[in-house]
Amino acid sequence: MPVPNLTRPVAQTRADLLDLVSYEIEVDLTDGGGKPGEHTFRSTTTVRFGCREPGAGTFIDLIAAGIRSATLNGQPLEVSGYTLEDGLALPDLAADNTLVVDADCLYTNTGAGLHRFVDPVDGAVYLYSQFETADAKRMYACFDQPDLKATFSIRAITPYDWEVVSNARAARTSDAPGGAKLVQFATTPRLSTYVTALVAGPYHKVQDTHDGIDLGVYCRASLAEHLDADEIFQVTRQGFDWFHRAFSYRYPLDKYDQLFVPEFNAGAMENFGCVTFLEDYVFRSRVTDAAYERRADTILHEMAHMWFGDLVTMRWWDDLWLNESFASFVAVLCQSQATRWTAAWTTFANTEKTWAYKQDQLPSTHPVAADIPDLEAVEVNFDGITYAKGASVLKQLAAYAGIEAFLQGLRGYFRRYEYGNTTLADLLEALAEASGRDLSNWSAQWLQRAGINSIRADFTLDDEGRYASFGLVQSAPPDNDVLRDHRLAIGLYGVEGDKLIRVDRIELDVTGARTDVPELIGVVQPDLLLVNDDDLAYAKIRLDPESLARTAGHLSSFTSSMPRALILGASWDMTRDAEMAAHDFVDLVLENVAAETDSSVQRILLAQMWTSARFYSDPARRAALNAHLTARLRELTAAAAPGSDAQLQLLTAFAGSATNGADTAYLRDLLEGEQELPGRVI
């Protein structure tokens, strides 16, 4: 089926012409006899809108099996010219218009539009909508672009025993023909079409209330026994409390539903007040704490969108990166300050930043702020640059502006543009006003040029081991010679007893090819000099050989997980760049991974070690290296605390690397109960 490809100029022309007022939408999801429909559903849409140039024409978007009828200002519309690509033509508009479109729309099983799923466990039918980027037109006739916001009043006819959820609260329920029911939802504030939503089916529901907001968590009935709603509510409550304080702007709805839906083709979707999630987040067996941390991050990411994305929305998809990067950055900021995952920035450094660094060095890299001329161009930009590099760059911007000034700028931004549409320039203006920083050159450096810089310390020592000279040297790849301004910290660490302690920290701006650091002249060379301490900068960091050698066997003695993660991350990057031998990286991980206290760091290290051994190692030594790795993982698994998160991760890694007969026989015996691992039920 052809998919309409709206272009930016056409969208701009339509936005300049129309003043959108409201939608009234009714969908009949039954077969007429109170049972779920199978292939199509009836959708009736009433749109009220103004036209700035009476007499002009435009079109409305719709993907449907067919149009039953359409009227414009009480007069029948000719629908024979309707096509999926061109929509329905609207000629000779008045200053104020009422359009009614009665159509038969199609269920999908692709995760676009209104997705229909039949549960193989009990045969129950579940529906949920997914409209980003521009698939609202698959459920109702609409001007399907983000800058034509309107209010929405949605009605749904469904089987009587179904739960029905939308953006707003259900205002009333009444009987419908055939033993069905009609659910009328309250009218929403002004929204973009892509964040409207409808979810319906015999979902299992758990409810709670926090700070005047009714909370709901939903999943398929057949998964109800696995739904840990209390844990999800806990993160949700912590998130609302933090966002309310940080933004000084209350979540504007009186309810917030989170629905874990089947066959979801992404991680989650930020429908206003009706967030949908990949149902893999309903854990059906024992998982690591890293999995819980990732789910919490996703919950907070979507919650951040309630303000940045839903309340204030990008004008066009050029700023998709900003929408997603902002939510990614602020979710980690919230998680680190409001939840039990206080080391969330460590996870960010090991996952998002590692992803970004890798993608930014591929031939397929692109500027963060990509040119999006049409909807087709959006699809290729849901990647590590849009999400991970963008979030890393925003972390750098917050460090450059100052985190309090950054949040202060956001408060003014939300008030100024509530329920409206903006561009990047509007956000930068608000941040510049709050911080007093000149951000005029920031966008050109960080957003309009692809690639990544490298930063290393360059120094000399006097006879007493003190720094006689010290500078930070910045370089760029030969084919991309841009040097950026960085805000970063230098950490000085020393061994005290059995701990590595930070004894000093210097934060500074780095510009150009070399930045001298006079504060370090005369300072005794520490046991560890860590460039980019606290991971403020987005750059490849190199440790000096002395620092790497002194700390390689003592990483577990750090009092914080972040410096440990930064050293291991730099070592991983050196391995990828062939500056460290793969077998040395494997040994570094094996020496430290069992003592790692951060579940997410442990997960990433084991994955990186596996990649190094399988793909980066000397082929002549690969078999021996893998045998060594597997044997050591089995030893570490046996020595791990019974029932611990580390034991689970090490066992999983061992199972993934085992190839010889003795190891596979041991795993088979564990599975069949012939062998036991203390604290672990297989």
Side-chain angles (χ1 to χ4, degrees):
M1 179 183 292
V3 177
N5 183 31
L6 184 66
T7 66
R8 184 170 49 206
V10 171
Q12 182 63 59
T13 297
R14 188 162 64 174
D16 290 342
L17 181 66
L18 303 181
D19 284 316
L20 209 47
V21 179
S22 68
Y23 289 90
E24 294 179 10
I25 302 159
E26 180 174 296
V27 292
D28 187 346
L29 307 177
T30 71
D31 61 358
K35 302 295 184 183
E38 288 192 18
H39 303 293
T40 63
F41 59 94
R42 189 169 183 176
S43 170
T44 305
T45 307
T46 301
V47 194
R48 293 180 175 84
F49 62 98
C51 176
R52 298 187 182 97
E53 300 176 15
T58 188
F59 65 98
I60 195 164
D61 303 301
L62 179 65
I63 296 178
I67 298 178
R68 298 189 180 206
S69 66
T71 62
L72 178 62
N73 299 326
Q75 300 300 311
L77 266 180
E78 176 57 53
V79 299
S80 61
Y82 160 73
T83 65
L84 301 181
E85 297 92 332
D86 300 327
L88 178 62
L90 305 177
D92 194 23
L93 295 172
D96 295 295
N97 302 273
T98 300
L99 170 69
V100 181
V101 179
D102 187 359
D104 291 313
C105 292
L106 294 157
Y107 292 114
T108 73
N109 60 3
T110 62
L114 195 57
H115 185 101
R116 186 179 188 274
F117 171 83
V118 179
D119 193 333
V121 176
D122 55 15
V125 174
Y126 292 89
L127 308 175
Y128 63 89
S129 62
Q130 168 63 13
F131 294 155
E132 191 177 30
T133 308
D135 285 311
K137 66 175 73 72
R138 295 179 184 272
M139 194 180 92
Y140 58 91
C142 58
F143 302 107
D144 208 358
Q145 60 190 72
D147 57 346
L148 283 174
K149 286 188 166 184
T151 61
F152 292 82
S153 179
I154 297 175
R155 298 187 298 274
I157 300 172
T158 75
Y160 209 85
D161 61 345
W162 278 14
E163 296 288 342
V164 193
V165 185
S166 186
N167 304 98
R169 183 189 297 277
R172 58 183 177 275
T173 301
S174 57
D175 293 338
K181 67 179 178 182
L182 171 64
V183 180
Q184 169 72 61
F185 294 95
T187 301
T188 71
R190 283 168 47 85
L191 300 178
S192 297
T193 51
Y194 82 94
V195 295
T196 59
L198 184 67
V199 183
Y203 284 91
H204 170 70
K205 174 177 66 174
V206 183
Q207 293 179 296
D208 197 3
T209 300
H210 178 68
D211 194 17
I213 305 167
D214 288 341
L215 307 177
V217 172
Y218 297 73
C219 71
R220 281 190 282 151
S222 59
L223 295 181
E225 64 179 300
H226 304 292
L227 182 64
D228 54 336
D230 289 344
E231 172 82 14
I232 294 166
F233 282 137
Q234 174 72 359
V235 174
T236 303
R237 289 190 292 265
Q238 291 168 334
F240 272 125
D241 289 345
W242 189 90
F243 283 117
H244 286 159
R245 288 194 305 270
F247 294 163
S248 297
Y249 192 115
R250 274 191 62 82
Y251 170 68
L253 300 183
D254 60 359
K255 68 96 178 177
Y256 189 73
D257 291 310
Q258 298 175 96
L259 304 105
F260 295 84
V261 298
E263 296 184 334
F264 202 65
N265 62 8
M269 178 60 203
E270 66 267 22
N271 312 307
F272 203 34
C274 183
V275 180
T276 46
F277 293 89
L278 178 75
E279 74 170 16
D280 289 7
Y281 281 134
V282 178
F283 302 128
R284 280 155 258 188
S285 62
R286 172 72 185 272
V287 298
T288 64
D289 190 62
Y292 285 100
E293 181 182 9
R294 190 65 185 177
R295 183 177 69 181
D297 175 76
T298 304
I299 289 171
L300 298 173
H301 176 108
E302 303 310 320
M303 187 179 290
H305 276 309
M306 298 302 109
W307 288 265
F308 204 99
D310 295 1
L311 177 70
V312 182
T313 311
M314 58 197 162
R315 187 166 297 159
W316 178 248
W317 300 102
D318 301 83
D319 285 327
L320 168 68
W321 78 269
L322 182 59
N323 194 38
E324 297 302 341
S325 296
F326 177 90
S328 296
F329 165 69
V330 175
V332 181
L333 184 62
C334 172
Q335 193 172 20
S336 67
Q337 296 182 1
T339 75
R340 63 185 173 91
W341 293 283
T342 56
W345 283 120
T346 302
T347 303
F348 180 85
N350 277 275
T351 52
E352 270 67 27
K353 272 203 170 178
T354 298
W355 181 27
Y357 291 155
K358 180 180 178 181
Q359 291 224 330
D360 212 8
Q361 296 176 82
L362 296 175
S364 57
T365 190
H366 57 84
V368 173
D371 181 48
I372 307 294
D374 54 32
L375 292 178
E376 289 181 355
V378 181
E379 301 304 320
V380 299
N381 281 285
F382 283 91
D383 62 6
I385 302 299
T386 295
Y387 280 78
K389 181 178 179 180
S392 301
V393 166
L394 286 180
K395 184 180 183 184
Q396 169 64 189
L397 176 60
Y400 187 71
I403 187 61
E404 287 307 317
F406 185 87
L407 293 173
Q408 185 60 38
L410 290 177
R411 293 168 191 138
Y413 174 82
F414 292 137
R415 290 292 176 191
R416 188 179 306 171
Y417 298 109
E418 58 184 358
Y419 301 110
N421 297 87
T422 63
T423 66
L424 169 65
D426 298 316
L427 176 63
L428 292 181
E429 180 183 13
L431 296 179
E433 289 174 1
S435 67
R437 282 273 204 173
D438 181 3
L439 301 178
S440 58
N441 195 39
W442 185 87
S443 179
Q445 286 188 16
W446 286 103
L447 305 179
Q448 296 170 20
R449 296 285 297 272
I452 183 172
N453 298 110
S454 296
I455 299 176
R456 62 180 177 85
D458 180 56
F459 57 84
T460 59
L461 300 172
D462 63 20
D463 293 340
E464 297 179 346
R466 301 176 184 274
Y467 291 119
S469 65
F470 193 101
L472 294 178
V473 176
Q474 178 180 189
S475 60
D479 57 346
N480 187 1
D481 60 356
V482 60
L483 297 179
R484 297 173 173 87
D485 296 337
H486 305 261
R487 183 73 178 177
L488 58 74
I490 302 172
L492 284 70
Y493 289 77
V495 176
E496 295 185 8
D498 60 349
K499 299 295 183 183
L500 268 168
I501 306 293
R502 185 165 68 188
V503 296
D504 199 3
R505 179 183 183 274
I506 299 169
E507 189 169 323
L508 71 158
D509 292 334
V510 173
T511 60
R514 181 184 176 89
T515 301
D516 289 323
V517 187
E519 297 95 326
L520 286 177
I521 303 303
V523 174
V524 175
Q525 184 184 26
D527 293 311
L528 166 65
L529 179 85
L530 185 55
V531 178
N532 196 29
D533 201 12
D534 295 324
D535 197 35
L536 302 180
Y538 176 80
K540 289 159 64 80
I541 301 301
R542 289 295 177 260
L543 299 172
D544 63 271
E546 296 89 348
S547 291
L548 184 58
R550 288 172 182 160
T551 58
H554 306 284
L555 295 183
S556 61
S557 62
F558 280 107
T559 56
S560 166
S561 62
M562 177 61 86
R564 182 167 59 244
L566 291 173
I567 292 171
L568 289 165
S571 300
W572 165 244
D573 192 58
M574 291 168 67
T575 304
R576 291 189 69 250
D577 287 353
E579 297 174 21
M580 175 182 278
H583 63 268
D584 287 338
F585 181 75
V586 169
D587 286 341
L588 180 66
V589 173
L590 288 173
E591 190 170 357
N592 292 281
V593 70
E596 177 57 58
T597 57
D598 188 293
S599 179
S600 292
V601 172
Q602 196 168 56
R603 176 179 62 86
I604 294 295
L605 285 177
L606 290 167
Q608 291 171 343
M609 180 179 65
W610 188 93
T611 299
S612 294
R614 298 255 188 322
F615 300 111
Y616 297 163
S617 60
D618 179 355
R621 301 179 60 179
R622 188 165 296 164
L625 179 61
N626 278 282
H628 165 64
L629 179 155
T630 304
R632 187 68 182 123
L633 283 174
R634 182 169 175 176
E635 293 172 357
L636 293 173
T637 301
S644 65
D645 189 273
Q647 185 194 50
L648 176 58
Q649 296 218 46
L650 291 165
L651 175 61
T652 304
F654 164 64
S657 64
T659 56
N660 68 47
D663 288 335
T664 54
Y666 170 69
L667 289 168
R668 187 181 304 111
D669 288 345
L670 278 179
L671 182 62
E672 295 175 355
E674 299 296 325
Q675 290 259 16
E676 289 187 359
L677 189 63
R680 181 67 50 203
V681 177
I682 306 298

